[in-house]
Amino acid sequence: MTLDLAAPVEVLAKALIDLPSVSGDEREIADQVEAALRACAHLEVTRLGNNVVARTTLGRAERVVVAGHLDTVPIASNVPGRWADDGATLWGRGAVDMKAGVAVQLSLAAALTEPTRDVTWVLYDQEEVEETRNGLGRVSRERPDLLQADFAVLGEPTGGVIEGGCNGTLRVDVTVQGKAAHSARSWKGVNAIHHAAPLLQALEEYEAETIEVDGLKYREGLNAVGISGGIAGNVIPDSVTVTLNYRFSPAWPLEEAKERVEKFVQAAFTAHPETLERWQAAPDELALVYSLVWTDEAQACRPGLDAPLARSFAAAVEATGAEPPRAKLGWTDVARFGALGIPAVNYGPGDPELAHADDERCAVSQIREVRAGLEAWLTS
């Protein structure tokens, strides 16, 4: 099969869905994308692993990056794709996250031979897995020159609405210490699981904040996402680990977000009378009550909607009838552009609540609308 970039964008999207590309297995789709883009005389194409970068070099005053990932989560009897609702809906793995968005990018990359801004089209692998394997991360480390730009658009599914920036995410293991003993003589030990109760109670009572950043409202969240402990059915547990996940707004730099979690955990334990008395007597002994180990961290990204290019992009998209920009509540790769000092937004077809679902599907009208919004901006 050869990708036809001149086909209607929804037909191209189905062709991409029909190419299985679960994370780590993107060679075939990357080969097809590379071959199709190399056939475009106006593009300069670079291949780095299974990452394909295509650039116009027209000497325009501004350069923008438009990026999307080629991989999907595992298939669930939803490849090949199919049409539903008399052709109004495209159904199949990646229809939302994010082969419809990639189709928009490839369609425009081929069609726009004279955009008013130079464009760097980035199609990358392994977004759906751990951060260390992320293809955009690899490009930024090995060829940062390919990502130099004044503005970036990431084609993550947003329902055809611009979503500015993204929340950051932290994961930390809080291990509460106790003392093992036979459960028949439980008073000889200290039950670590019981002593985790103040933290769990504080999490139950936690009220998520909504914080406004550059005019967009980001809802935060702090939750226990895992708990493990215990030795045997007749042993008082000497430790228990509660895993916390903090989704934080772009108002907080990474280190400040970590400090907020640390203060929350400390306040939870020191609010307990027994722990407070122990801590007040010997502050250094708080480390004997619990310990923290950070297991994952990703910086948030400010929306950057005050940048001139962002304002012009928002105007072009809203002219298609789309809603005004809103905050991106999850973490996306716009944070990588933010770390490079490049304002970035999310904009793509598909309802994000259907991403990764077995019945993943996208309205054809929305694929066309997103293509029209990007085209209007890149040719205005």
Side-chain angles (χ1 to χ4, degrees):
M1 184 185 78
T2 302
L3 291 175
D4 180 6
L5 303 191
V9 65
E10 66 272 18
V11 174
L12 178 56
K14 183 181 182 301
L16 291 168
I17 291 171
D18 292 347
L19 283 170
S21 57
V22 175
S23 302
D25 189 24
E26 299 97 334
R27 176 183 288 276
E28 182 180 0
I29 194 170
D31 287 347
Q32 292 280 351
V33 167
E34 179 188 16
L37 291 174
R38 286 194 184 280
C40 300
H42 63 286
L43 295 175
E44 177 185 282
V45 180
T46 301
R47 175 84 175 255
L48 185 63
N50 288 326
N51 306 292
V52 182
V53 181
R55 306 169 74 246
T56 64
T57 53
L58 301 171
R60 305 297 197 220
E62 300 167 324
R63 176 172 291 279
V64 299
V65 169
V66 184
H69 62 84
L70 298 171
D71 62 321
T72 71
V73 297
I75 292 166
S77 300
N78 48 11
V79 170
R82 61 178 173 81
W83 304 106
D85 304 323
D86 295 324
T89 303
L90 176 59
W91 182 98
R93 174 61 77 225
V96 172
D97 195 11
M98 57 166 287
K99 290 188 173 179
V102 169
V104 167
Q105 294 167 23
L106 291 175
S107 176
L108 290 174
L112 302 185
T113 59
E114 292 285 338
T116 53
R117 301 169 175 91
D118 269 315
V119 187
T120 301
W121 307 95
V122 182
L123 293 311
Y124 62 100
D125 69 347
Q126 304 200 76
E127 188 271 348
E128 299 287 6
V129 289
E130 57 267 30
E131 188 275 340
T132 55
R133 293 165 56 185
N134 185 289
L136 188 61
R138 177 179 177 179
V139 174
S140 68
R141 290 189 301 271
E142 298 182 15
R143 290 292 308 274
D145 57 298
L146 292 176
L147 299 182
Q148 291 179 358
D150 302 293
F151 185 63
V153 178
L154 186 67
E156 286 285 348
T158 64
V161 178
I162 292 174
E163 293 186 338
C166 68
N167 275 342
T169 182
L170 291 170
R171 205 159 47 241
V172 61
D173 287 342
V174 182
T175 299
V176 181
Q177 307 299 332
K179 180 181 178 182
H182 197 296
S183 60
R185 295 175 291 279
S186 59
W187 58 90
K188 295 289 187 179
V190 176
N191 193 310
I193 293 179
H194 294 180
H195 277 225
L199 176 60
L200 297 176
Q201 184 64 36
L203 289 165
E204 175 66 18
E205 297 172 355
Y206 170 81
E207 294 185 5
E209 294 183 83
T210 297
I211 298 175
E212 186 169 316
V213 180
D214 295 346
L216 301 185
K217 294 180 179 180
Y218 293 84
R219 183 177 173 85
E220 299 198 329
L222 178 61
N223 292 279
V225 294
I227 187 166
S228 61
I231 300 169
N234 60 351
V235 180
I236 299 301
D238 62 354
S239 72
V240 62
T241 298
V242 182
T243 300
L244 307 184
N245 179 221
Y246 180 36
R247 298 288 176 148
F248 60 96
S249 84
W252 319 121
L254 188 64
E255 290 306 313
E256 187 169 349
K258 293 171 79 170
E259 289 175 9
R260 288 169 64 84
V261 175
E262 290 168 354
K263 289 178 180 178
F264 176 88
V265 174
Q266 178 175 308
F269 283 111
T270 56
H272 192 267
E274 180 181 332
T275 307
L276 179 60
E277 181 180 351
R278 181 176 176 183
W279 180 54
Q280 288 175 334
D284 292 341
E285 288 194 11
L286 193 60
L288 302 177
V289 177
Y290 72 89
S291 60
L292 280 74
V293 176
W294 299 98
T295 60
D296 185 50
E297 54 186 57
Q299 180 61 279
C301 179
R302 299 185 73 90
L305 290 173
D306 54 348
L309 275 174
R311 290 199 298 270
S312 69
F313 180 51
V317 171
E318 287 187 60
T320 68
E323 298 175 12
R326 63 192 177 206
K328 168 61 80 174
L329 300 184
W331 187 90
T332 73
D333 278 322
V334 295
R336 298 185 189 279
F337 293 109
L340 295 171
I342 302 170
V345 298
N346 305 275
Y347 176 63
D351 180 351
E353 293 191 4
L354 292 174
H356 304 180
D358 289 351
D359 61 344
E360 192 171 350
R361 60 197 184 278
C362 184
V364 168
S365 60
Q366 199 168 94
I367 303 173
R368 294 172 179 169
E369 288 164 5
V370 168
R371 187 190 186 283
L374 265 175
E375 181 177 30
W377 180 59
L378 291 172
T379 57
S380 62

